[in-house]
Each structure stands twice: as C-alpha cells, then as structure tokens.
Amino acid sequence: MTAADPWIRLPLRPRLICWVYEALLVAGVLIAAALPFVRLTHYALHPELREWYRLYLFGVVGLYFSWFWHRSGQTIPMRTWHLQLLDSSGHPPSWGRAFLRYVLAIPGYLTGISLLWVLVDKEGQFLHDRLLGLTMRRY
C-alpha cells in the first residue's frame, strides 16, 4: 500500500490493544525518567517543584513518542500490531508534527473526544490526526 492508495478504515480494536501495551511501556519510561529528577532535586523536600516535575515528565513522554513517530512512524506496540503513522506523502511525520500530535492527542484521549471522533470519521481517523493531515494505516 502506498500513500496514494485509498486508506482502508482501520479497526478500533487493534488500536485500543496497542494503547494498553503502550501504557505499560510509558509507565516504564516515566519511572526511568522520574528517578534522576527526584534524586537530583530532592523532590520530597521541595514540593514547590511539582509543576516543573510534571512539565519534565510531559516532555520526556513527548520526546519518547515524537522520536519513534518521526523515526519510523511506529512505536514498539505499533510495530507489534503492524500499525504505522504517515503523513499525506507516505512518510513518517516531522519532529514538529509528531510532537504536536502528542500535545493534541492528550486532551482528546482524556475527554474521550478522540474515541467518539474515530467512530464517526469515514476513514476511522482520530481527530488530532485529521487536523494534522496524518494517517494511521495497517500493513
């Protein structure tokens, strides 16, 4: 399948299973990233660092997703489930688009808008992907 081929509606089930797998990996990334911050800042003694800590973890997870999406269009769970994120020209997204996807996806997932949108979208795309001109395909 090339970028010019019509996109086949991607079932929601493999993406939801991929999310569960992704959550396990992100938990590990968060634990690994939290340790240096906590140790270097003595976080337990400085509750005023809470917002910096959250921003740091937000950035680390954003870097994790952006790096994988930009590099190959796939995270490890996406590779397992044969899913790939591509732009309209059939290439993995740029760094900016990948990070913006991460930023836009968070409110969509937390509010449930992304899940509702995918049910009504004719190609089964998430709202943040539709806004950014990205497509997830199965290979």
Side-chain angles (χ1 to χ4, degrees):
M1 181 180 293
T2 65
D5 292 336
W7 298 106
I8 299 169
R9 185 176 174 87
L10 187 62
L12 188 57
R13 184 171 181 241
R15 289 190 276 181
L16 292 177
I17 294 170
C18 188
W19 279 359
V20 173
Y21 186 1
E22 200 74 70
L24 295 172
L25 292 180
V26 168
V29 168
L30 287 171
I31 290 168
L35 185 61
F37 186 94
V38 170
R39 298 288 285 173
L40 292 172
T41 63
H42 302 288
Y43 180 71
L45 303 174
H46 300 284
E48 67 274 8
L49 295 175
R50 179 176 295 162
E51 295 307 315
W52 286 106
Y53 182 58
R54 289 178 182 167
L55 185 62
Y56 165 73
L57 293 178
F58 177 81
V60 166
V61 174
L63 184 62
Y64 163 81
F65 281 114
S66 298
W67 185 78
F68 275 108
W69 289 334
H70 172 69
R71 184 171 171 263
S72 63
Q74 299 173 296
T75 59
I76 295 167
M78 290 171 72
R79 190 168 294 177
T80 303
W81 285 93
H82 303 283
L83 303 174
Q84 190 172 26
L85 183 67
L86 302 171
D87 63 15
S88 58
S89 64
H91 298 98
S94 65
W95 273 103
R97 268 184 156 169
F99 192 77
L100 191 54
R101 181 183 195 257
Y102 167 70
V103 170
L104 292 176
I106 291 173
Y109 293 146
L110 292 177
T111 61
I113 291 171
S114 287
L115 289 174
L116 293 175
W117 181 268
V118 97
L119 296 174
V120 298
D121 188 84
K122 65 179 179 169
E123 295 173 356
Q125 296 298 318
F126 289 116
L127 179 59
H128 49 272
D129 290 337
R130 177 72 59 201
L131 294 173
L132 294 171
L134 299 173
T135 304
M136 191 170 302
R137 72 173 179 123
R138 195 167 203 180
Y139 63 92

